[in-house]
């Protein structure tokens, strides 16, 4: 139930490649999506089963996949974001996940947009 199209140079369309799409193309999900959010060159999707997937750029940790993964072009599960994820949000280069145990954040924090004291450093893995 998620369709993507447009620029795909970082794999942000979650279709397993970096080819741009001019027409909407369905993303193959294991269960229906209940929410999706996009940022600069990345996408996050929350499914009905409570799983969160991401694709696209992770250059500043916006997918929460750690510092060694620069980008992914296929649906990739985002772990360590607590139980019962209820909502997701994305900004320019960061992601937020509302879970039963709190709000998890990851990505660029140069201007304190993640409400974490990091001295402006980015956050590579989701943290509360």
């Amino acid at each position: 139930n998620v369709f993507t199209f447009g620029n795909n140079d970082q794999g942000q369309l979650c279709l397993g490649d970096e080819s741009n799409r001019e027409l909407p193309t369905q993303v193959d999900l294991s269960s229906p999506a209940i929410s999706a959010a996009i940022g600069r060159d990345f996408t996050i999707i929350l499914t009905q089963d409570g799983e969160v997937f991401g694709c696209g750029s992770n250059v500043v940790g916006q997918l929460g996949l750690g510092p060694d993964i620069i980008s992914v072009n296929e649906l990739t599960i985002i772990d360590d974001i607590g139980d019962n994820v209820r909502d997701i949000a994305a900004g320019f280069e960061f992601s937020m996940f509302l879970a039963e145990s709190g709000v998890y954040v990851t990505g660029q924090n140069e201007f304190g947009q993640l409400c974490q004291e990091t001295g402006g450093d980015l956050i590579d893995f989701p943290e509360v």
Side-chain angles (χ1 to χ4, degrees), residues 55-74:
C55 61
S57 177
N58 188 55
V59 73
V60 293
Q62 60 267 52
L63 295 177
L65 302 176
D68 298 329
I69 298 176
I70 301 301
S71 67
V72 292
N73 64 20
E74 56 191 24

Side-chain angles (χ1 to χ4, degrees), residues 1-2 4 11 23 49 51 58 60-61 71-72 76 86 89 91 93-95 100 104 112-113 116-117 123 127:
N1 63 339
V2 173
T4 59
L23 298 172
D49 293 341
E51 292 182 303
N58 188 55
V60 293
S71 67
V72 292
T76 302
R86 297 178 180 154
E93 292 182 323
F94 64 91
S95 298
E100 192 172 275
Y104 291 76
Q113 59 267 51
Q116 300 281 352
E117 291 295 329
I123 298 174
E127 60 182 59

